[in-house]
């Protein structure tokens, strides 16, 4: 398991050049995380692959946990979940969310080492010391609500999507750990979406 991150503020990129360096670091970490277990990924090799000084890496990411939490936020943003009510007008909200989660599941299991690195890092993080961990929830929940066609979610909409995401993470971890097959994950996910999302606001207008 990754070490608990030390309490230290992480710098935010501001200029275009800094954003470019930041992006190269995330790309390098994702590449290395897909090739080896998290414990074997060294910060020095991330810096070398990204072409940045080790001090620059630590300025943005004070620990490996900070780094792979940020990688997860970046991967969520890149997943390209484009399933919206506009692209699939006939899809019920539960179906659209299921399709989005199915796409995300398949993306993760294609890179199991990276998926484990991101999930382990997120699970060991506290939002008080690693603020980016809260972005994982906001970004992912927002994409699912968008997939369901909900522009102004109710408190209940937000709650059931949050519960569904927590359940989904558990299913993905079971698949990555070899405790469930992908067909079993997909079947359980279908049931979860049907039960939890039966009365999303987009579906009862």
């Amino acid at each position: 398991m990754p070490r608990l991150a030390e309490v230290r503020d992480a710098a935010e990129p501001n200029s275009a050049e800094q954003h470019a360096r930041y992006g190269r670091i995330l790309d390098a970490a994702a590449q290395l995380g897909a090739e080896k277990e998290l414990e074997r990924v060294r910060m020095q090799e991330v810096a070398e692959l990204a072409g940045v000084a080790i001090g620059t890496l630590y300025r943005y990411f004070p620990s490996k946990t900070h780094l792979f939490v940020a990688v997860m936020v970046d991967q969520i943003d890149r997943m390209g979940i484009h399933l919206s009510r506009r692209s699939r007008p006939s899809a019920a909200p539960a179906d659209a969310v299921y399709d989005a989660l199915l796409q995300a599941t398949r993306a993760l299991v294609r890179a199991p080492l990276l998926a484990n690195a991101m999930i382990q890092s997120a699970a060991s993080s506290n939002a008080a010391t690693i603020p980016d961990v809260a972005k994982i929830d906001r970004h992912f929940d927002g994409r699912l609500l968008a997939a369901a066609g909900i522009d102004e979610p109710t408190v209940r909409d937000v709650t059931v999507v949050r519960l569904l995401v927590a359940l989904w993470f558990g299913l993905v971890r079971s698949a990555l750990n070899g405790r469930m097959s992908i067909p079993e994950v997909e079947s359980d996910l279908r049931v979860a979406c049907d039960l939890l999302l039966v009365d999303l606001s987009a579906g009862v207008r």
Side-chain angles (χ1 to χ4, degrees):
M1 295 291 292
R3 293 183 308 169
L4 291 177
E6 59 183 291
V7 180
R8 184 163 133 205
D9 289 336
E12 291 287 340
N14 294 311
S15 68
E17 184 179 2
Q18 289 173 347
H19 278 286
R21 281 198 296 265
Y22 190 91
R24 291 202 307 274
I25 292 170
L26 294 179
D27 289 344
Q31 179 180 327
L32 291 168
E35 296 172 354
K36 59 180 75 176
E37 293 179 353
L38 179 61
E39 292 77 8
R40 295 177 53 223
V41 176
R42 295 184 300 108
M43 295 291 270
Q44 181 63 48
E45 64 182 337
V46 174
E48 291 172 356
L49 184 59
V52 302
I54 188 67
T56 299
L57 173 59
Y58 276 112
R59 183 157 57 89
Y60 293 126
F61 308 103
S63 73
K64 194 165 27 173
T65 304
H66 281 84
L67 176 58
F68 277 91
V69 166
V71 169
M72 189 167 192
V73 174
D74 186 57
Q75 292 292 311
I76 289 171
D77 290 345
R78 293 186 183 199
M79 271 179 187
I81 299 175
H82 299 305
L83 301 173
S84 67
R85 298 305 293 275
R86 290 189 301 275
S87 61
R88 295 189 61 203
S90 62
D95 294 334
V97 172
Y98 171 75
D99 288 344
L101 287 172
L102 193 60
Q103 181 179 341
T105 301
R106 290 171 177 171
L108 288 172
V109 298
R110 280 197 296 268
L113 292 177
L114 177 58
N116 267 321
M118 294 187 298
I119 292 172
Q120 285 179 29
S121 297
S124 68
S125 297
N126 186 309
T129 55
I130 306 181
D132 272 357
V133 76
K135 292 182 182 178
I136 294 173
D137 301 324
R138 289 200 306 272
H139 290 211
F140 201 53
D141 293 359
R143 275 162 175 70
L144 296 182
L145 288 166
I150 300 175
D151 298 322
E152 298 180 4
T154 64
V155 172
R156 190 180 187 285
D157 292 334
V158 173
T159 299
V160 295
V161 166
R162 183 170 63 243
L163 289 172
L164 179 61
V165 170
L167 186 152
W168 172 76
F169 270 117
L171 292 175
V172 170
R173 294 197 75 166
S174 292
L176 293 171
N177 294 336
R179 289 158 47 203
M180 293 182 71
S181 68
I182 298 304
E184 287 173 329
V185 169
E186 294 178 2
S187 176
D188 285 9
L189 184 59
R190 178 73 264 182
V191 172
C193 288
D194 289 343
L195 290 175
L196 288 172
L197 307 182
V198 64
D199 59 352
L200 277 177
S201 59
V204 297
R205 288 172 186 165

